[in-house]
Amino acid sequence: EGKLKYRIEEIEVSKLPRPDTKIMMNFGIPDGAFIQSQIPNDGVGLAREEFIINSYIGIHPMALIEYAELKKAARTDEKLAKVIEEIDKRSASYEDKREFFIDTLAMGIAKIAAGFYPNEVIVRFSDFRTNEYANLVGGYRYEPEERNPMIGWRGASRYYDAKFKPAFGLECQAIKKVRDVMGLTNVKVMVPFCRTPEEGRKVIKAMAEFGLEQGENELEVYVMCEIPSNVILAEEFASVFDGFSIGSNDLTQLTLGLDRDSELVAHIFDERNEAVKRLVKQVIDIAHRHKPRRKVGICGQAPSDFPEFADYLVECGIDSISLNPDVILSTRLNIAAVEDRIKSRSKRKGT
């Protein structure tokens, strides 16, 4: 009584098939990198900066950049005085508070990159929404209130905006430190929520201003494919970026015109919807036809939740699938079987 039924499945790692499709990992908290990397994988398809910023920094980057001014103002502002007290507590060993952000973010990224080295680790620049940034220490001073932050001031649109650009500079300096100082050149970067090719060019330019040059030391810059415009203008985006990573959650939400956080319409949300699947196939086809050929991966939740969706991606010729660690092995076996079926079918057609 009280005991739960369970079963144990043992898989001999040395006998695992290695599919042509890269099986990568979604990753957040750096501390588990060296353990999780023991799971057979082809690298990290999505390393989220937000986890590092939330867990190890916790302070709005602009509050660190403007620390000296805020400290003066705090003499007559009780709320701000508490912000300064918290900043001092978290960054006690740093006179220059900007260095606290750069070093802490760099160390977090470096742990992940070292754990999975030499496989590539794709680090997505911060993708907090305004309400999430506002929850960081001092964030209330810098973030507007938006009715729908999900489609508001987030991702690429922040990076070149004068109100946030200095903060983006700290992220770029952290990446540069990981690659150029620590030598972890397996780190690539990814730009989220980029609405237009012109916006992409502005981000690439801003990166260069902070010393992070696309192509320098083989630095590749990917773009999240999570807005219908990323698919409709895929040819133009492919001329700006080195590859695409499909974010199936936002792509589904924006294709079907629904708020996935709303209980009233949540039942309609389904990455397997035919409209979403057609967009996925379309961007893969366009990216692969582009000269030079662009890689396409996926880092959304769908392949983890729905094995049949992973099958569809392989049929479409996707280059990589990035998954949650708990489904890496089962998906790898499934993908290998799908590829075998495709190869057998091709042989039969050829005879």
Side-chain angles (χ1 to χ4, degrees):
E1 186 178 336
K3 290 184 178 179
L4 296 174
K5 291 182 178 180
Y6 67 92
R7 72 175 187 271
I8 298 174
E9 291 184 21
E10 293 186 3
I11 298 173
E12 193 170 332
V13 173
S14 62
K15 294 184 178 178
L16 272 175
R18 190 176 185 87
D20 295 330
T21 308
K22 286 187 175 182
I23 306 300
M24 305 178 80
M25 197 178 293
N26 295 334
F27 212 83
I29 302 298
D31 290 345
F34 286 91
I35 295 173
Q36 299 285 19
S37 64
Q38 300 306 305
I39 299 171
N41 69 86
D42 293 305
V44 175
L46 173 63
R48 302 175 176 93
E49 279 192 7
E50 304 92 79
F51 282 85
I52 302 171
I53 295 169
N54 246 337
S55 301
Y56 301 102
I57 299 173
I59 304 166
H60 195 289
M62 288 304 301
L64 294 170
I65 290 168
E66 298 184 351
Y67 173 80
E69 295 93 323
L70 296 184
K71 193 170 184 178
K72 288 179 184 177
R75 295 169 187 164
T76 56
D77 186 327
E78 187 177 335
K79 186 176 181 181
L80 191 53
K82 290 180 179 178
V83 169
I84 293 299
E85 183 182 349
E86 186 62 28
I87 291 175
D88 287 342
K89 185 170 78 173
R90 292 177 183 237
S91 61
S93 60
Y94 285 86
E95 186 175 342
D96 185 339
K97 303 305 179 183
R98 294 170 299 181
E99 291 300 320
F100 166 67
F101 186 97
I102 294 167
D103 285 355
T104 308
L105 181 57
M107 284 303 296
I109 293 170
K111 276 187 182 179
I112 299 172
F116 288 85
Y117 191 87
N119 289 333
E120 73 176 7
V121 171
I122 302 174
V123 178
R124 185 178 69 188
F125 287 121
S126 63
D127 193 25
F128 286 120
R129 293 178 280 279
T130 49
N131 58 321
E132 294 168 331
Y133 259 122
N135 287 331
L136 296 175
V137 174
Y140 70 92
R141 291 181 63 89
Y142 301 100
E143 299 301 323
E145 286 190 22
E146 296 183 299
R147 289 195 174 186
N148 194 344
M150 187 75 77
I151 54 173
W153 193 39
R154 60 175 286 202
S157 62
R158 298 181 74 99
Y159 306 153
Y160 58 85
D161 190 307
K163 296 186 293 295
F164 189 81
K165 189 175 178 180
F168 179 60
L170 300 186
E171 295 182 40
C172 291
Q173 289 175 68
I175 295 287
K176 187 173 175 62
K177 184 171 187 175
V178 172
R179 286 176 50 84
D180 296 352
V181 178
M182 301 180 188
L184 294 164
T185 53
N186 57 323
V187 168
K188 320 292 184 184
V189 294
M190 182 155 63
V191 177
F193 225 77
C194 185
R195 294 171 169 96
T196 68
E198 177 57 30
E199 201 169 44
R201 285 187 282 271
K202 288 180 180 179
V203 173
I204 298 289
K205 182 182 177 185
M207 287 172 55
E209 289 173 20
F210 294 114
L212 204 59
E213 294 258 8
Q214 183 183 28
E216 189 175 279
N217 205 6
E218 299 182 347
L219 174 64
E220 292 183 337
V221 184
Y222 292 81
V223 65
M224 289 287 291
C225 179
E226 53 191 345
I227 307 170
S229 64
N230 299 142
V231 181
I232 296 167
L233 297 177
E235 185 67 39
E236 289 83 349
F237 277 102
S239 296
V240 178
F241 295 100
D242 298 297
F244 297 83
S245 186
I246 298 165
S248 58
N249 290 343
D250 275 338
L251 185 61
T252 300
Q253 175 176 242
L254 296 171
T255 299
L256 299 181
L258 56 83
D259 179 355
R260 68 174 185 264
D261 293 331
S262 170
E263 293 180 3
L264 297 173
V265 293
H267 63 283
I268 305 171
F269 183 90
D270 188 346
E271 295 99 325
R272 298 164 297 177
N273 182 279
E274 188 59 33
V276 179
K277 288 170 67 177
R278 289 188 189 185
L279 289 179
V280 166
K281 186 178 188 309
Q282 186 177 334
V283 73
I284 293 171
D285 289 344
I286 293 172
H288 287 177
R289 286 199 306 265
H290 187 270
K291 304 295 182 188
R293 181 186 185 277
R294 299 304 191 190
K295 291 179 285 188
V296 183
I298 186 167
C299 59
Q301 191 67 24
S304 296
D305 292 342
F306 309 114
E308 68 274 22
F309 190 77
D311 294 358
Y312 176 75
L313 294 170
V314 176
E315 294 273 0
C316 291
I318 200 157
D319 297 293
S320 64
I321 297 177
S322 195
L323 305 151
N324 296 333
D326 60 322
V327 294
I328 289 278
L329 293 181
S330 59
T331 305
R332 185 169 179 151
L333 291 166
N334 181 52
I335 295 302
V338 173
E339 289 183 356
D340 284 344
R341 288 201 301 270
I342 293 172
K343 289 172 184 174
S344 296
R345 197 163 60 228
S346 298
K347 284 181 181 178
R348 286 198 301 270
K349 285 183 180 178
T351 55

